């Protein structure tokens, strides 16, 4: 087993592209771009809670960074730097090597410098702190939705939860859906380019980590407004519908925008080759009220809204 120092040097030290001083000193030095605000977020991944003990190490490395990038995507920020605190149980070199490979593959894809962290022995868990930038005053927030705004979601919400259901034997997916769902679960693609494109267009945004309804609920709470959802092609009651409405781990962007921007939003989807689906409208109903309709417009009552660690 390698020492803490060897692990850091061998697996977590890489050349940086936009950092004054990275891994190795007591602190990192970065030079924020003048005129930009720093956007900062942190997320924990704990074995047994966020990932299964037998999860592929390389996929986990990717996901550990990707879920953090997703938070900055939802803020409309450009992610630039990350710190990684790792708790490892008697780590084997193979496992860490694969984890680091996935982590840096994601870092390279999104041009992020790993600039520091901490490494210690214990039950497996990872905490990433991510830093990014957005021109002052332009970051997207959860609190700007207005009655009349369209509600949009990117990509294919529900796939990650379906992939998990497949792994847990609660359903059997066939190809090509199986591959798409497992890839959504293991290799989420944070929607950074979409977040950047939505600056000045979206009135509120959040990334879907707890479930579509739960995360829309956060926007409604913080914007003190209500919503009516009518999702095109909503599946009939059952697992697939539950995964779509209340399945977490998608890391798609859920956002609102004035209807005057409908065409612009559609054009962004075309440019990014990413489906952007209009799934409803913000209404002037009681704050927090969420009416969900099926494809035909009849009101339905979903069983769950999403994931809450303390429920
Ligand atoms: P200190 O004793 O000052 O806390 P450490 O020995 O924990 O320093 O870390 C040495 C250097 O390695 C620091 O620059 C720290 O930021 C970095 N580092 C530690 N663990 C990691 C990690 N998992 N990923 C990236 N950098 C790390
Ligand atoms: Mg330390």
């Amino acid at each position: 087993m390698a020492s803490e120092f060897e692990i850091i040097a061998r697996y977590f030290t890489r050349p940086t592209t936009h950092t004054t001083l990275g891994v190795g000193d007591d602190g990192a030095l970065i030079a924020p771009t003048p005129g930009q605000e720093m956007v900062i977020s942190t997320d924990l991944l704990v074995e047994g809670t966020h990932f299964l003990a037998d999860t592929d190490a390389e996929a986990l490395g990717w996901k550990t960074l990707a879920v953090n990038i997703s938070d900055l995507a939802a803020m409309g920020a450009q992610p630039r730097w990350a710190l990684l605190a790792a708790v490892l149980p008697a780590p084997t070199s193979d496992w860490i090597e694969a984890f680091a490979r996935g982590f840096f593959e994601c870092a390279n894809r999104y041009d992020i410098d790993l600039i520091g962290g901490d490494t210690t022995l214990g039950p497996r868990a990872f905490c990433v702190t991510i830093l990014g930038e957005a021109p002052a005053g332009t970051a997207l927030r959860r609190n700007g939705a207005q009655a009349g705004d369209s509600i949009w979601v990117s990509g294919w919400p529900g796939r990650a939860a379906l992939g998990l259901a497949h792994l847990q034997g609660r359903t059997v997916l066939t190809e090509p859906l199986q591959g798409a769902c497992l890839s959504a679960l293991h290799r989420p693609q944070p929607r950074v380019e979409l977040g950047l494109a939505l600056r000045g267009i979206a009135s509120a945004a959040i990334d879907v980590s707890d479930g579509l309804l739960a995360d829309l609920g956060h926007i409604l709470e913080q914007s003190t407004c209500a919503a009516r959802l009518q999702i095109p092609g909503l599946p009939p009651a059952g697992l697939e519908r539950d995964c779509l409405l209340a399945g977490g781990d998608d890391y798609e962007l859920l956002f609102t925008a004035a209807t005057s921007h409908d065409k612009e939003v559609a054009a962004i989807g075309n440019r990014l080759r990413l489906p952007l689906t209009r799934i409803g409208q913000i209404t002037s109903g009681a704050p927090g009220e969420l009416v969900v309709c099926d494809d035909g417009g009849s009101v339905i009552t979903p069983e769950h809204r999403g994931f809450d660690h303390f429920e």
Side-chain angles (χ1 to χ4, degrees):
M1 192 181 120
S3 74
E4 177 189 335
F5 178 78
E6 286 165 345
I7 290 172
I8 298 167
R10 192 179 308 164
Y11 301 112
F12 296 114
T13 307
R14 293 285 186 284
T16 55
T17 67
H18 46 266
T19 298
T20 313
L21 182 65
V23 170
D25 213 307
D26 290 310
L29 295 172
I30 55 177
T33 311
Q36 306 263 321
E37 277 174 324
M38 299 283 288
V39 184
I40 304 166
S41 178
T42 195
D43 251 326
L44 268 171
L45 277 93
V46 176
E47 184 171 289
T49 304
H50 301 95
F51 59 90
L52 308 172
D54 61 356
T55 298
D56 175 70
E58 184 177 348
L60 186 61
W62 172 284
K63 189 165 178 175
T64 297
L65 183 57
V67 301
N68 282 272
I69 295 173
S70 178
D71 282 320
L72 291 210
M75 298 293 293
Q78 178 70 57
R80 289 173 60 77
W81 301 280
L83 296 108
L84 170 67
V87 190
L88 300 164
T92 57
S93 313
D94 283 0
W95 199 95
I96 306 179
E97 203 266 325
F99 177 90
R101 202 181 326 122
F103 187 96
F104 282 108
E105 199 190 318
C106 187
N108 292 340
R109 157 68 180 84
Y110 291 94
D111 196 19
I112 291 166
D113 283 349
L114 180 66
I115 59 170
D118 205 7
T119 305
T120 184
L121 202 63
R124 189 173 280 135
F126 302 94
C127 178
V128 169
T129 300
I130 190 151
L131 301 91
E133 297 183 314
T138 68
L140 306 177
R141 304 177 182 207
R142 295 179 178 183
N143 67 358
Q146 304 271 353
D149 286 357
S150 297
I151 304 172
W152 297 85
V153 72
S154 67
W156 302 269
R159 276 193 181 175
L162 261 186
L164 183 64
H166 175 83
L167 289 183
Q168 294 175 336
R170 288 183 285 125
T171 188
V172 178
L173 301 175
T174 51
E175 293 295 355
L177 187 62
Q178 183 190 123
C181 290
L182 292 179
S183 146
L185 179 67
H186 292 311
R187 292 212 162 223
Q189 307 285 316
R191 305 302 186 190
V192 172
E193 291 84 359
L194 175 59
L196 297 177
L198 290 175
R199 295 202 294 229
I201 292 176
S203 51
I206 191 169
D207 66 322
V208 182
S209 56
D210 294 334
L212 195 61
L213 300 186
D215 288 314
L216 179 57
H218 296 313
I219 288 185
L220 300 184
E221 271 163 40
Q222 299 208 17
S223 303
T224 34
C225 57
R228 182 177 184 280
L229 283 190
Q230 186 170 348
I231 302 173
L234 184 73
L239 179 71
E240 212 185 319
R241 180 194 276 185
D242 287 349
C243 287
L244 172 61
L245 295 178
D249 252 12
D250 281 313
Y251 306 103
E252 296 293 354
L253 291 191
L254 174 67
F255 59 95
T256 61
T259 49
S260 57
H261 289 307
D262 278 358
K263 279 201 179 125
E264 239 171 320
V265 172
I268 289 169
N270 287 336
R271 176 166 65 79
L272 299 178
R273 294 178 192 192
L274 178 66
L276 298 180
T277 310
R278 190 184 172 286
I279 58 167
Q281 193 153 39
I282 300 293
T283 66
S284 52
E289 183 187 77
L290 177 52
V291 177
V292 186
C293 303
D294 64 17
D295 223 350
S298 311
V299 174
I300 59 167
T301 314
E303 239 174 279
H304 312 283
R305 279 173 72 132
F307 195 72
D308 181 330
H309 286 285
F310 296 99
E311 238 174 37

